[in-house]
Amino acid sequence: MSTLLLNLDFGEPPPRKALEGNAKHQKFVKKRRLLERKGFLNKKQQPPNKVPKLHSEPSKKGDTRKVDGTWKPPPLPKKKTAASSSGSEQSLDKKAAVPWLTPAPSQKAGSVVAKVDLLGEFQSALPKIKSLPIRPQKKGSQKNPPQKTAPQISTQAHSENKYPGASQKMPTKMVAIDCEMVGTGPKGHVSSLARCSIVSYSGDVLYDEYILPPCHIVDYRTRWSGIRKQHMVNATPFKIARSQILKIITGKIVVGHAIHNDFKALQYFHPKSLTRDTSHIPLLNRKADCPENATMSLKHLTKKLLSRDIQVGKSGHSSVEDAQATMELYKLVEVEWEQHLAKNPPKD
């Protein structure tokens, strides 16, 4: 039989390649510490749902700017382990995802970054504010209605027909007039217009002027008219004043006391349907306990019905005061008198 010879060596085993693994491990530890100092491993361990910062870190030396406004750090050295390279790539991806909302520093006009609309990105990131719904305004609820001019307000009368049966053709404006006369002609017996006052339905003065008669004044009648010589120095000529007065009273209801004398001095004829003479309104006399067909003076009716004294003193009458008193007297019987005129319209 052949014999088998076994050469067995029971000494120490040959050294394994553990030394190489230990060297790699030491190199890995060094790289890991390097990454921890630079902060890459800390960012890697952040939870993925953490809100990114609005402002990125200041740029370091060697960093480059991306088009979307983020800063890209320089690439790490190529000699890296698999674990370190993967960790750095994940940290870079997260850093690149942070939006840059603030405007970028000024760049060259020809660069691509200058053409990026960073303002649009900033506005799109802001929360949208919902506007409140506009409530529709109700009719007639205007806080500041359009104001009327002074002549329109002062001359406004009864625009609405308050009383049943009244005439539908009645104008919407009403005024009161009173005139003062002076004596002209032979011995001053001719009454000429020297002052005219017109007031609105509410008593506002629309016209009040001294008027120079076309003829020489013989008697100023100051005791009754209140006209004096100095009033005629800057008085309005008769023709001009007449045209101004007619523009105001034409087409309106004109109230006056013994108004035919005023129209005669104006050399004017007003329609009877638009004339209200307080000296010929029986209702006023009845309220003043006077005979209905009697012609009562304006002074007496004002004292009796309005409890006011007018035409007192030696300075003469005031045509403004007389016109206002006439309008107030008419208002006392306006409804009843207009109903009567609607049933019995006067003939011109």
Side-chain angles (χ1 to χ4, degrees):
M1 294 179 64
S2 63
T3 59
L4 296 175
L5 297 178
L6 298 175
N7 188 11
L8 298 175
D9 188 2
F10 293 96
E12 293 181 1
R16 298 179 182 178
K17 294 183 178 180
L19 294 176
E20 297 179 0
N22 292 337
K24 290 181 179 180
H25 180 70
Q26 291 177 3
K27 189 176 181 180
F28 170 76
V29 171
K30 291 181 180 180
K31 293 294 182 180
R32 181 181 178 87
R33 290 177 182 175
L34 178 62
L35 294 175
E36 287 177 354
R37 286 197 302 269
K38 291 187 176 181
F40 289 105
L41 291 182
N42 293 334
K43 294 185 179 182
K44 180 181 178 181
Q45 294 173 0
Q46 288 181 357
N49 58 350
K50 188 174 182 181
V51 179
K53 296 181 181 179
L54 294 180
H55 300 281
S56 64
E57 299 176 357
S59 61
K60 298 180 181 179
K61 185 176 181 181
D63 293 352
T64 57
R65 180 73 181 278
K66 286 188 177 182
V67 177
D68 56 355
T70 59
W71 295 96
K72 181 180 179 181
L76 297 176
K78 294 183 180 180
K79 293 183 180 181
K80 290 183 180 290
T81 58
S84 63
S85 62
S86 61
S88 62
E89 289 176 1
Q90 292 179 2
S91 63
L92 289 176
D93 293 340
K94 289 185 178 180
K95 190 170 183 181
V98 177
W100 184 267
L101 299 181
T102 56
S106 60
Q107 300 290 339
K108 294 183 179 180
S111 63
V112 180
V113 181
K115 298 181 180 179
V116 177
D117 189 5
L118 296 179
L119 181 59
E121 295 179 2
F122 178 76
Q123 292 177 350
S124 62
L126 294 177
K128 295 183 179 180
I129 301 175
K130 296 182 179 180
S131 58
L132 297 175
I134 300 175
R135 296 181 180 178
Q137 294 183 355
K138 296 181 180 179
K139 294 182 178 179
S141 63
Q142 295 180 355
K143 294 183 180 180
N144 297 324
Q147 298 180 355
K148 297 181 180 180
T149 57
Q152 291 178 343
I153 295 176
S154 60
T155 58
Q156 183 179 7
H158 285 201
S159 58
E160 297 180 358
N161 194 1
K162 298 181 180 179
Y163 22 84
S167 175
Q168 299 294 334
K169 296 181 180 180
M170 187 177 68
T172 58
K173 295 182 180 180
M174 182 178 295
V175 295
I177 190 173
D178 188 79
C179 298
E180 300 296 339
M181 287 72 146
V182 292
T184 60
K187 298 182 180 180
H189 292 309
V190 179
S191 296
S192 298
L193 184 65
R195 185 183 179 184
C196 180
S197 299
I198 303 174
V199 299
S200 66
Y201 184 83
S202 58
D204 299 326
V205 178
L206 303 179
Y207 186 87
D208 183 25
E209 294 289 340
Y210 290 100
I211 301 169
L212 181 64
C215 303
H216 177 70
I217 299 175
V218 178
D219 186 4
Y220 283 95
R221 304 178 185 177
T222 305
R223 181 179 177 183
W224 298 276
S225 65
I227 305 297
R228 290 173 174 80
K229 186 176 182 180
Q230 59 266 26
H231 293 150
M232 297 292 105
V233 175
N234 298 320
T236 305
F238 175 77
K239 290 184 178 181
I240 298 176
R242 182 177 181 274
S243 63
Q244 295 173 349
I245 295 168
L246 296 186
K247 286 181 180 179
I248 298 175
I249 67 175
T250 300
K252 297 181 178 66
I253 293 178
V254 182
V255 183
H257 194 82
I259 199 171
H260 59 280
N261 294 325
D262 301 324
F263 289 151
K264 183 178 180 181
L266 281 169
Q267 301 177 9
Y268 170 72
F269 174 80
H270 199 69
K272 291 183 179 180
S273 59
L274 301 179
T275 303
R276 306 291 184 265
D277 192 344
T278 53
S279 65
H280 294 289
I281 298 180
L283 291 174
L284 278 176
N285 293 357
R286 192 184 307 167
K287 284 182 175 292
D289 296 328
C290 299
E292 293 185 0
N293 296 328
T295 301
M296 306 302 300
S297 66
L298 179 62
K299 181 178 180 179
H300 179 78
L301 291 176
T302 303
K303 178 65 175 179
K304 194 77 174 177
L305 299 177
L306 302 178
S307 302
R308 190 168 71 228
D309 292 327
I310 61 172
Q311 300 177 357
V312 293
K314 298 181 180 180
S315 58
H317 302 174
S318 171
S319 54
V320 173
E321 185 182 46
D322 291 353
Q324 292 173 342
T326 303
M327 181 62 80
E328 291 181 27
L329 289 174
Y330 168 77
K331 287 181 181 180
L332 295 177
V333 294
E334 178 183 4
V335 175
E336 296 89 350
W337 187 242
E338 293 299 333
Q339 289 178 352
H340 173 75
L341 293 178
K343 296 178 181 179
N344 305 289
K347 297 179 181 181
D348 292 337

